[in-house]
Amino acid sequence: MPPLMGIEFLCRVADVLADYLGGLNEDQIKDNFVIVYELLDEMIDNGFPLTTEPNILREMIAAPNIVSKMLSVVTGNSSNVNETLPAATALCVPWRTSDPKYANNEVYVDLVEEMDAIINRDGTLVKCEIYGEVQVNSHLSGLPDLTLSFANPSILDDVRFHPCVRYRPWESHQILSFVPPDGQFRLMSYRVKKLKSIPLYLKPQLTSDAGTCRLSLLVGMRNDPGKTIDSIDVQFQLPPCISNADLSSNCGTVNILSNKTCSWIIGRIPKDKAPSLSGTLVLESGLQRLHVFPTFQLRFRIMGIALSGLQIDKLDLKNLPHRPYKGFRALTRAGHYEVRA
């Protein structure tokens, strides 16, 4: 068996369970173990992946809710499996509901990107890349045929497609040709590597002597993306040798949790001042200097732009009785955005 086949199937199982249960952890699996067993029974047959598309699985197995749980207690029937197979399982496009009809035909395409970056203590950018997804929310009647093209597809690496994507048009012309599932789904994922610019900087400064450590943080704009940067916050773990901390900021709020995690919530950068945090860290008795330095995690969100530079050129739709509405959005947020002190 190809190793990636097993990995891909496990990832698909995790995605389906998270979609059904609203998350994925031990407690949710225990509380819904009947549905988990039913899903696995439909997703794999005799060791081979069978039905892995969430839209079809939802027609076969009802999602858990309070009413179904109460009925199972009263009637003693805990099965959520539909007695009849969805008609789409016999089609050549098993990921799509058979012949859906909508009064308003519409399709929305979102570019959602996460920026991973590592910045050294001297401010040097060690690594910067973006993991992105093209997410589609489709409400189209019949059996539509969509073609999505990008203005600069050559920047994309490590592309991964939904099963609905025809591979040959992408291989020859970098065009996404597909019959979409009904509802929301991830059309493709990608990486853009070796980026040279980041939107925000974080300058940490630590000096320690005589059992105390002075901490100073400064956050500011490094490259203006042209859109508002919000949801900015900084998180870092205080070293175990710190016995007490007194921190304050000129912008936002600072919280120190019981596990020595410090959270500095800024929100947006004000126009009249640069956000700064400063304070004193008290070392444990017997220690004169700080030898273990924290790593700072910076988080942010930028609506309306994809920092990778990826741009959608056009979206063409065929086999539709009426002209549909097409919407496009972009969002970039911080992934593993790390600054070393």
Side-chain angles (χ1 to χ4, degrees):
M1 183 187 79
L4 287 178
M5 177 180 171
I7 295 172
E8 175 66 23
F9 177 72
L10 289 174
C11 291
R12 187 61 65 91
V13 169
D15 290 343
V16 168
L17 291 180
D19 183 47
Y20 258 79
L21 309 180
L24 189 57
N25 57 49
E26 184 179 352
D27 292 334
Q28 286 171 321
I29 291 177
K30 285 181 177 178
D31 293 342
N32 301 279
F33 69 93
V34 173
I35 286 182
V36 172
Y37 275 114
E38 291 169 347
L39 285 170
L40 290 176
D41 197 38
E42 297 295 341
M43 294 184 72
I44 193 165
D45 183 32
N46 198 28
F48 291 93
L50 187 62
T51 305
T52 60
E53 184 57 45
N55 289 334
I56 304 302
L57 287 169
R58 283 190 173 275
E59 292 189 41
M60 301 169 70
I61 302 170
N65 55 56
I66 297 176
V67 176
S68 63
K69 289 181 179 179
M70 291 177 63
L71 286 173
S72 66
V73 172
V74 174
T75 62
N77 180 18
S78 58
S79 175
N80 299 277
V81 181
N82 198 336
E83 293 182 359
T84 58
L85 279 175
T89 55
L91 299 177
C92 59
V93 284
W95 53 82
R96 184 167 178 80
T97 308
S98 59
D99 197 27
K101 290 183 172 59
Y102 292 98
N104 297 317
N105 287 284
E106 52 192 15
V107 58
Y108 300 94
V109 181
D110 293 342
L111 293 180
V112 181
E113 298 188 339
E114 288 190 352
M115 174 174 278
D116 298 339
I118 298 176
I119 298 99
N120 251 342
R121 62 180 62 188
D122 59 356
T124 305
L125 185 62
V126 178
K127 171 191 172 185
C128 184
E129 66 179 32
I130 277 180
Y131 170 80
E133 294 182 353
V134 180
Q135 298 178 358
V136 179
N137 195 357
S138 169
H139 300 285
L140 301 172
S141 304
L143 198 66
D145 201 317
L146 278 63
T147 303
L148 178 67
S149 59
F150 300 103
N152 48 349
S154 59
I155 67 173
L156 302 179
D157 285 312
D158 302 337
V159 291
R160 178 186 173 198
F161 301 113
H162 188 277
C164 69
V165 175
R166 303 179 182 101
Y167 188 62
R168 283 192 177 181
W170 175 264
E171 194 175 34
S172 56
H173 301 101
Q174 281 73 55
I175 292 174
L176 294 175
S177 175
F178 59 99
V179 175
D182 195 39
Q184 192 163 2
F185 66 100
R186 181 177 60 193
L187 180 64
M188 70 175 288
S189 62
Y190 59 87
R191 286 189 187 277
V192 179
K193 301 178 180 178
K194 297 181 181 179
L195 295 174
K196 301 297 183 183
S197 64
I198 52 177
L200 296 175
Y201 69 80
L202 170 63
K203 295 181 178 178
Q205 187 174 4
L206 290 100
T207 55
S208 60
D209 192 25
T212 61
C213 177
R214 184 72 183 171
L215 171 65
S216 174
L217 297 178
L218 190 65
V219 175
M221 192 83 69
R222 186 162 176 173
N223 291 289
D224 190 353
K227 298 287 184 178
T228 302
I229 306 177
D230 58 13
S231 302
I232 303 171
D233 74 81
V234 180
Q235 289 196 354
F236 59 95
Q237 186 78 32
L238 295 175
C241 58
I242 300 296
S243 62
N244 190 24
D246 182 19
L247 303 173
S248 61
S249 68
N250 68 343
C251 180
T253 58
V254 181
N255 297 308
I256 302 177
L257 305 179
S258 58
N259 61 354
K260 292 189 176 181
T261 299
C262 181
S263 174
W264 178 23
I265 301 173
I266 301 171
R268 294 184 180 181
I269 297 178
K271 295 181 179 180
D272 56 341
K273 59 184 176 182
S276 64
L277 178 146
S278 60
T280 304
L281 309 177
V282 180
L283 305 180
E284 291 179 344
S285 59
L287 292 175
Q288 293 296 314
R289 301 176 65 85
L290 184 65
H291 299 288
V292 180
F293 296 98
T295 299
F296 301 89
Q297 305 288 338
L298 182 62
R299 295 191 294 193
F300 58 84
R301 184 185 66 176
I302 310 174
M303 299 290 295
I305 191 171
L307 287 185
S308 67
L310 183 66
Q311 295 180 344
I312 294 175
D313 184 26
K314 61 180 178 179
L315 176 64
D316 294 328
L317 298 94
K318 300 176 183 176
N319 302 337
L320 283 172
H322 308 289
R323 187 174 181 179
Y325 174 79
K326 298 181 286 186
F328 303 94
R329 293 185 304 184
L331 163 69
T332 302
R333 54 178 175 243
H336 299 287
Y337 200 99
E338 184 178 290
V339 181
R340 296 167 179 171

